[in-house]
Amino acid sequence: MKKRFLGIVAVIAAFTMIIAGCGNSSTSSDKANGNAGSKEVSGSITAVGSTALQPLVEAASKQYTAENPKAQINVQGGGSGTGLTQVQQGAVDIGNSDVFAEEKDGVDASKLVDHRVAVVGMAPVVNKDVGVKNISKQQLIDIFTGKITNWKDVGGKDEKITIINRAEGSGTRATFEKWGLDGATPIKAQEQDSSGTVRKIVSETPGAISYLAFSYIDDSIQGLSLDNVEPKEENVATNDWKIWAYEHMYTNGEAKGLTKTFLSYITSKDVQNDLVPQLGYQSIHSMKVERDSKGNVTEVK
């Protein structure tokens, strides 16, 4: 009887050890998963390129590094061409661009991975006194190519048209010429780099016309409708308003480490629904269509 009792005790003890072992194994696994999930992000990366995209990347990087103090994100301008060239060469981690890599000469787009982080709508803008709020797209082309030189020819005042262009190489200019002018080359005119300067000149110059991102259009100037379509974000989302562009962040191959986590952060719904519109950009999540480098438009599924 005593032997039988001792045997039962031994079995119970063994069973208890098995249960405990299973419990410890589960706990260890949970801790491991927890540690992996809560691991602090660290390291340093550099993003270079588009000055139009720079404010968003800088603001997002400040928010991100505030939440991840061991991470460092360096953001610099230089233009889309510089960003694409440097990321292709491996000199930087991210190349910021207003245009598709396929649209830049000397860039091997096949080596780069595109991360679209925002959309920018652009519109022709005029001095408020010209007396015009809507013109046809053909009239817009004729104005910028010098065929129409007076506002009276498009229903406005008897006033000479003064064209203010963006500088050669500007992503805004490339987008406007491609989608606003259907690829036509504008006549030689005054050129300005800064959107703020363009807005000021147009607001103060009788008969002036130029083009700006939606975020720069305010009460000091008049944004023009084209063929009775207004320059609004909801029209960009459906491609009814065609003068728009993606803001791209390119990587050389698939993103890894801090680069990958930062790109995931900037395309997250929290950033897209809050920071992106705050800074005058349009969320990629608002788009009902998408457009490739060749201009093909398809519905977002």
Side-chain angles (χ1 to χ4, degrees):
M1 185 71 178
K2 185 176 181 181
K3 287 183 179 179
R4 185 179 177 187
F5 175 77
L6 290 174
I8 292 171
V9 170
V11 170
I12 292 172
F15 184 70
T16 301
M17 289 178 66
I18 291 171
I19 295 294
C22 290
N24 288 339
S25 176
S26 176
T27 303
S28 298
S29 177
D30 290 343
K31 286 181 180 178
N33 289 336
N35 289 339
S38 61
K39 185 178 179 181
E40 277 195 273
V41 178
S42 61
S44 176
I45 60 173
T46 299
V48 170
S50 163
T51 53
L53 180 54
Q54 190 174 352
L56 173 59
V57 181
E58 285 180 338
S61 68
K62 285 178 182 177
Q63 285 189 180
Y64 184 83
T65 53
E67 297 171 14
N68 300 277
K70 290 189 177 181
Q72 183 178 355
I73 300 170
N74 306 298
V75 184
Q76 302 168 21
S80 299
T82 298
L84 291 169
T85 299
Q86 291 200 11
V87 74
Q88 177 180 262
Q89 294 172 347
V92 298
D93 304 282
I94 298 172
N96 298 331
S97 177
D98 305 327
V99 296
F100 284 97
E102 289 86 347
E103 298 178 272
K104 278 290 182 183
D105 293 335
V107 174
D108 186 354
S110 66
K111 295 181 179 179
L112 304 180
V113 177
D114 184 9
H115 308 270
R116 301 173 190 177
V117 298
V119 172
V120 175
M122 303 170 192
V125 295
V126 297
N127 183 279
K128 293 180 77 171
D129 292 334
V130 302
V132 173
K133 294 183 178 180
N134 176 75
I135 60 175
S136 71
K137 190 173 187 185
Q138 187 57 54
Q139 287 173 330
L140 179 70
I141 295 170
D142 289 345
I143 287 171
F144 274 88
T145 55
K147 294 178 183 177
I148 295 176
T149 58
N150 194 299
W151 286 110
K152 69 179 181 180
D153 296 329
V154 291
K157 290 174 65 175
D158 183 3
E159 190 169 59
K160 179 186 174 183
I161 296 173
T162 299
I163 295 173
I164 312 297
N165 229 327
R166 302 303 294 270
E168 288 280 357
S170 159
T172 301
R173 177 169 175 167
T175 298
F176 181 75
E177 289 181 0
K178 183 172 184 177
W179 299 109
L181 304 183
D182 290 344
T185 302
I187 59 172
K188 293 291 182 181
Q190 178 185 165
E191 294 184 355
Q192 293 291 335
D193 285 322
S194 165
S195 294
T197 301
V198 168
R199 179 174 59 193
K200 188 172 188 296
I201 292 173
V202 170
S203 70
E204 297 175 352
T205 306
I209 184 172
S210 189
Y211 44 91
L212 289 167
F214 288 179
S215 57
Y216 282 93
I217 301 175
D218 61 15
D219 291 339
S220 69
I221 54 178
Q222 174 68 53
L224 287 184
S225 296
L226 294 177
D227 296 311
N228 297 307
V229 178
E230 294 183 71
K232 292 184 175 181
E233 288 188 358
E234 53 262 40
N235 291 329
V236 168
T238 57
N239 199 47
D240 289 320
W241 183 268
K242 295 177 172 56
I243 312 174
W244 59 273
Y246 291 108
E247 293 294 352
H248 310 260
M249 296 178 74
Y250 278 96
T251 54
N252 193 333
E254 294 296 332
K256 298 177 181 178
L258 176 56
T259 301
K260 182 177 181 179
T261 57
F262 179 59
L263 287 170
S264 295
Y265 176 77
I266 202 169
T267 54
S268 68
K269 287 188 176 180
D270 285 346
V271 172
Q272 289 289 315
N273 294 339
D274 184 19
L275 187 61
V276 167
Q278 272 186 37
L279 295 175
Y281 303 86
Q282 188 166 338
S283 169
I284 53 173
H285 300 312
S286 73
M287 296 300 290
K288 297 179 181 178
V289 298
E290 57 185 3
R291 189 166 69 191
D292 65 18
S293 60
K294 296 179 180 178
N296 299 313
V297 177
T298 54
E299 288 187 11
V300 174
K301 297 180 180 179

